[in-house]
Amino acid sequence: RACCEALRSSTDFCGLARMVADYHYSRGQDRSLEDLVNLVLGILINLSEKDLGTRQKLRALPMASFCDHEDSQIRGLGKTFVDFVFVAANLGDQAQGQDTEAQGEVTLEMLNSSGGGGQKSICQTYCAILLAFLVAGDKALQKSTARLLPGCTLKPLIAKVRNFLDFLTSMSALTEKQKDVLTDLCAALT
């Protein structure tokens, strides 16, 4: 907790958010950044999970402070970090009616392949988990996010988090506490 408080008071998170945005919007998808971006997303997820102050700060972070890109999916939104994470999580495709359940699932084959699909999916999954933590506990934000998804529900977001939880469980890659946190997160969004 002390670490979260120190980070919250010493940074505005713009640098971390810029790294994720630059990676997401780079058309060449610089693969050397994949591990770094996933690490940054992991840090943001942990800070959002453990510290309400950090979560509130990230919710309010304006796009203009960390991103120069004008993605068509974001132009009509409120241009906050939450809006960006929504797009980066690839939930925007679900809002357009595309089937992304297979795209959002991380499989062992994807992780072992030499292609970039697994890394992209991991980044999208981490963005979905971060988005889930950011909207958890904020009914107005949950409602505005749900309006962008089919059926005006958070079910696609919950499904993405549950798919990842199921994957980690099948690989015996998480502790009971981590499993409880992700399970509770899904429950908080229903």
Side-chain angles (χ1 to χ4, degrees), residues 40-168:
V40 167
L41 286 168
I43 290 168
L44 292 173
I45 288 167
N46 284 318
L47 289 171
S48 295
E49 171 200 348
K50 295 179 182 354
D51 187 64
L52 178 60
T54 298
R55 194 174 321 140
Q56 292 169 334
K57 202 169 192 177
L58 284 172
R59 286 174 183 159
L61 185 65
M63 280 277 296
S65 67
F66 71 88
C67 187
D68 299 326
H69 305 282
E70 283 296 326
D71 188 292
S72 61
Q73 291 177 309
I74 287 182
R75 282 189 195 137
L77 300 176
K79 293 191 177 188
T80 65
F81 186 65
V82 173
D83 298 318
F84 166 74
V85 173
F86 175 87
V87 172
N90 203 29
L91 295 169
D93 288 342
Q94 290 181 355
Q96 296 170 4
Q98 297 179 13
D99 177 19
T100 58
E101 187 166 325
Q103 291 175 4
E105 183 178 358
V106 178
T107 65
L108 185 58
E109 293 79 25
M110 292 170 86
L111 295 175
N112 290 332
S113 75
S114 59
Q119 286 294 337
K120 182 178 178 186
S121 184
I122 291 168
C123 183
Q124 291 169 349
T125 300
Y126 286 172
C127 283
I129 293 167
L130 178 56
L131 179 63
F133 276 115
L134 291 175
V135 302
D138 185 326
K139 293 298 183 188
L141 193 52
Q142 286 178 15
K143 187 175 181 177
S144 65
T145 301
R147 283 196 326 243
L148 299 172
L149 295 168
C152 295
T153 177
L154 291 174
K155 286 181 182 178
L157 176 60
I158 296 166
K160 205 159 210 174
V161 174
R162 280 199 178 125
N163 285 343
F164 191 60
L165 173 60
D166 292 344
F167 169 73
L168 292 176

Side-chain angles (χ1 to χ4, degrees), residues 49-50 174-184:
E49 171 200 348
K50 295 179 182 354
L174 70 164
T175 66
E176 281 300 315
K177 183 177 179 183
Q178 292 167 323
K179 184 176 181 178
D180 291 344
V181 166
L182 290 175
T183 301
D184 292 347

Side-chain angles (χ1 to χ4, degrees), residues 5-25:
E5 289 174 19
L7 278 170
R8 178 170 31 104
S9 64
S10 67
T11 182
D12 62 5
F13 299 103
C14 290
L16 295 175
R18 182 174 294 281
M19 292 171 82
V20 178
D22 287 348
Y23 172 75
H24 174 74
Y25 286 109

